[in-house]
Amino acid sequence: MATAGAEEAAAAALAEAEAATLTLEILQIIKESQQQHGLRHGDYQRYRGYCSRRLRRLRKALNFKMGNRHKYTGRKVTVELLKDPRYLLLELMSAERAWSYAMQLKQEANTEPRKRFHLVSRLRKAAKHAEALERLCEGKRIDARTKLEAQAYAAYMAGMLRFEKQDWTKAMESFGSCKTIYEKLASAFSDEQAVLYRQRVEEISPNLRYCAYNIGDQSAIGDLLQMRLKSGDSSSMLTEKLEVLLAQMRAKQSTSMSEVTWCGRTVPVKVDRVRVFLLSLEESEAAIAQAEKEEGKEQLYESLLIECRDAIHAVREELKLDPKQRERETEAGKNSNLQHLHSYLTFIKLSNTVERNVVMARALRRRLSRGAVDDGRKAPRPQELIRLYELILQSLNEMQQLPGMEADPDLWQSLDNKKSAYKAFRCYFIAQSYLAAKKWTEGLALFERVLKYAREAQAACAQSNCPNMDQNELEELINSINAEKYSIQATAILDSDDIGDRMAALEVSDNKPLIERLDVYRLDPALVSKQPNLVTFPPEFQPVPVKPLFFDLALNHVALPPLDDKLEQKSRSGFTGMIKGIFGFRS
């Protein structure tokens, strides 16, 4: 009876397990895995290795063998096996592994174009595994949320494949259905999962607009630029295609760029690369002004500086090709057109370098005020900001020394006013580094120098209305110094009291015992210790009178009697003595 009851309980437990609903949070799993295993830094190879290891662990835990060590036997996950959500995870990790391999090949395809064929093959395999995951989730035991996420994931992988194959219409359909599903899921939840769904929608939107542009919607290019600025993501699949598209548009518009005016002089622009750069300059400046994230601004500055370096290199090549024209124009007492254009491009490069460093310095200042941030990074040191402001001042000095700057005194003066402001910030962080070393006097003296530079910059900018200078930052700097000075003075006084206490506890230089300084009052903690210095022990030697010494000098004047007759006479030796010795005669 007991055996029958146990069998019935086991059967009931098995039936209950089969009837249980399976749930798999697909988007949350892949986002956490990607962020923790390489994709935060764009390392797709590391993420691919993680997917392979996790697949191996899952197969071992589920006893889902794919053959033996001698022969591979492929097995597919079927609906009958779905007693554990880890079977769904097998298909998900297989799709992620193929997708990460495709993204790795995309990074390598910039130098090896043949890898694009392998890239498409990996994306096709990822889409196949995603479709298998969607079919498995169609069963009755899978909850509605997992079904929708599986459909959205399969549509996303299909859209990525068609996007790479440039099948814009079908790619737009796939991305559209994926976006619709995630929007519905985001509206149905109000927790952190809804945030993930909205982020996915934002990732898909630029791909949709790019597909619309290739289909024929010319208004989509503006939306693409705005989305790129907000996201600031340079590692997505769309970024490379968007850069190529912008380059093509600028090349078409470059024919209208014929001359440029700088420092009161207009010069023709005959180099095509320079024309394209000057057209992109206005777009980049507008994009930087609209960018919300500091990381996005830094990336835009970097791309702008790379284009500027290429344009400067093109002008230098032109100068090498036509040195006679350069000599003829320099003999007339002014720079040639190419030289002036080179100075103008160098000015643009240096000014954007200054602005990029200013953005980086502001970010570091905020982190320094907050201390350690949420992502675990350490708070920056004042020396890092000192280095940034030194680079800014160096760039401003180079800008003032460019040929042609003497023709525009207002521009030169505005650069000089900026130097005063950035000197104030550099001096401020030098003072902070001294204060960290408890050098209070030097820190307070540098604070006075900061106030001098900041007030000079304020006065100069009030007269000339300096552009690109944040007057509020200077005002905040002055107010913070006025507040910090009193705090530092109090800290210095407290620190000096500590030094006095430590000095009082030290051993005094006068080591006289108490018996020799009875008429002097002094606090000496050593007197109440276990070894008080009361007397000198052992006592020192002192001279004392002793009994005189008497010497016997009479012996020097006594005549002693001779003792020769008392001494033994020596025997004579010779031939006779030798004979006596042979024959044994003794005297």
Side-chain angles (χ1 to χ4, degrees), residues 232-278:
D233 186 10
S234 60
S235 61
S236 64
M237 201 171 185
L238 178 65
T239 305
E240 181 185 355
K241 297 182 180 296
L242 187 57
E243 293 295 339
V244 173
L245 177 62
L246 292 175
Q248 293 174 354
M249 293 180 58
R250 291 165 185 164
K252 292 179 182 178
Q253 298 173 357
S254 63
T255 55
S256 61
M257 175 64 67
S258 59
E259 59 184 15
V260 66
T261 302
W262 180 66
C263 288
R265 180 177 173 183
T266 303
V267 295
V269 181
K270 299 180 181 179
V271 185
D272 294 336
R273 186 176 295 179
V274 178
R275 290 179 178 177
V276 173
F277 167 70
L278 293 176

Side-chain angles (χ1 to χ4, degrees), residues 468-481:
N468 301 327
M469 281 299 299
D470 194 347
Q471 301 295 325
N472 295 329
E473 289 185 355
L474 289 173
E475 190 66 31
E476 290 176 3
L477 180 64
I478 294 173
N479 294 334
S480 65
I481 289 175

Side-chain angles (χ1 to χ4, degrees), residues 335-388:
N335 295 328
S336 65
N337 290 335
L338 283 176
Q339 285 177 323
H340 193 76
L341 184 60
H342 182 272
S343 299
Y344 174 54
L345 294 175
T346 306
F347 178 83
I348 293 173
K349 185 190 75 171
L350 292 173
S351 61
N352 283 281
T353 302
V354 168
E355 295 300 325
R356 181 200 61 185
N357 291 336
V358 168
V359 171
M360 294 172 64
R362 287 173 181 166
L364 287 177
R365 275 160 42 198
R366 281 194 290 271
R367 286 178 52 199
L368 184 62
S369 62
R370 292 197 306 261
V373 291
D374 297 334
D375 57 1
R377 292 182 297 173
K378 294 183 179 179
R381 299 179 300 167
Q383 288 79 359
E384 299 178 26
L385 285 153
I386 294 170
R387 178 59 180 163
L388 272 178

Side-chain angles (χ1 to χ4, degrees), residues 248-531:
Q248 293 174 354
M249 293 180 58
R250 291 165 185 164
K252 292 179 182 178
Q253 298 173 357
S254 63
T255 55
S256 61
M257 175 64 67
S258 59
E259 59 184 15
V260 66
T261 302
W262 180 66
C263 288
R265 180 177 173 183
T266 303
V267 295
V269 181
K270 299 180 181 179
V271 185
D272 294 336
R273 186 176 295 179
V274 178
R275 290 179 178 177
V276 173
F277 167 70
L278 293 176
L279 282 172
S280 66
L281 179 62
E282 296 180 359
E283 298 176 1
S284 300
E285 290 177 348
I288 290 169
Q290 296 175 5
E292 298 177 356
K293 299 181 180 178
E294 293 173 350
E295 292 82 0
K297 288 186 177 182
E298 291 179 12
Q299 291 175 1
L300 291 172
Y301 274 122
E302 289 295 336
S303 60
L304 178 60
L305 289 173
I306 291 172
E307 294 177 3
C308 187
R309 293 189 193 104
D310 294 339
I312 291 173
H313 179 72
V315 174
R316 287 176 181 169
E317 294 296 326
E318 290 293 327
L319 286 171
K320 292 179 182 178
L321 293 176
D322 193 8
K324 294 183 180 180
Q325 177 68 21
R326 175 183 173 184
E327 293 176 359
R328 287 195 298 268
E329 294 186 358
T330 52
E331 288 175 359
K334 63 177 183 179
N335 295 328
S336 65
N337 290 335
L338 283 176
Q339 285 177 323
H340 193 76
L341 184 60
H342 182 272
S343 299
Y344 174 54
L345 294 175
T346 306
F347 178 83
I348 293 173
K349 185 190 75 171
L350 292 173
S351 61
N352 283 281
T353 302
V354 168
E355 295 300 325
R356 181 200 61 185
N357 291 336
V358 168
V359 171
M360 294 172 64
R362 287 173 181 166
L364 287 177
R365 275 160 42 198
R366 281 194 290 271
R367 286 178 52 199
L368 184 62
S369 62
R370 292 197 306 261
V373 291
D374 297 334
D375 57 1
R377 292 182 297 173
K378 294 183 179 179
R381 299 179 300 167
Q383 288 79 359
E384 299 178 26
L385 285 153
I386 294 170
R387 178 59 180 163
L388 272 178
Y389 283 111
E390 284 179 351
L391 292 173
I392 292 171
L393 292 171
Q394 181 180 351
S395 299
L396 291 173
N397 287 328
E398 293 178 5
M399 291 164 69
Q400 288 182 320
Q401 296 172 3
L402 287 174
M405 283 291 296
E406 64 276 359
D408 195 343
D410 294 336
L411 180 58
W412 195 93
Q413 186 61 39
S414 66
L415 295 177
D416 202 51
N417 297 338
K418 289 183 181 181
K419 285 170 61 177
S420 299
Y422 295 129
K423 281 180 182 179
F425 284 104
R426 181 187 63 174
C427 195
Y428 173 76
F429 289 106
I430 293 175
Q432 292 291 341
S433 64
Y434 273 105
L435 295 176
K438 294 187 177 181
K439 296 182 178 180
W440 314 115
T441 306
E442 293 85 347
L444 288 172
L446 286 169
F447 273 170
E448 295 296 332
R449 183 67 61 88
V450 173
L451 290 174
K452 174 187 173 186
Y453 285 138
R455 285 165 181 160
E456 287 178 359
Q458 274 189 329
C461 291
Q463 294 177 359
S464 58
N465 192 16
C466 298
N468 301 327
M469 281 299 299
D470 194 347
Q471 301 295 325
N472 295 329
E473 289 185 355
L474 289 173
E475 190 66 31
E476 290 176 3
L477 180 64
I478 294 173
N479 294 334
S480 65
I481 289 175
N482 291 329
E484 286 184 22
K485 280 198 302 183
Y486 302 106
S487 175
I488 292 167
Q489 288 174 354
T491 307
I493 293 171
L494 293 174
D495 192 64
S496 64
D497 289 341
D498 295 339
I499 293 174
D501 295 338
R502 291 196 298 269
M503 291 300 294
L506 294 176
E507 185 180 358
V508 294
S509 59
D510 186 4
N511 293 326
K512 291 182 180 181
L514 179 62
I515 196 171
E516 296 181 10
R517 50 182 176 85
L518 293 175
D519 55 343
V520 178
Y521 175 77
R522 179 174 33 178
L523 291 174
D524 190 356
L527 294 177
V528 295
S529 63
K530 293 183 179 181
Q531 296 179 350

Side-chain angles (χ1 to χ4, degrees), residues 194-225:
V195 177
L196 287 177
Y197 295 144
R198 296 189 187 97
Q199 290 178 354
R200 193 64 148 181
V201 170
E202 293 177 359
E203 293 174 6
I204 296 170
S205 297
N207 294 11
L208 279 169
R209 298 304 293 160
Y210 189 81
C211 293
Y213 173 79
N214 284 279
I215 291 173
D217 187 1
Q218 297 297 325
S219 63
I221 187 63
D223 298 336
L224 285 171
L225 291 174

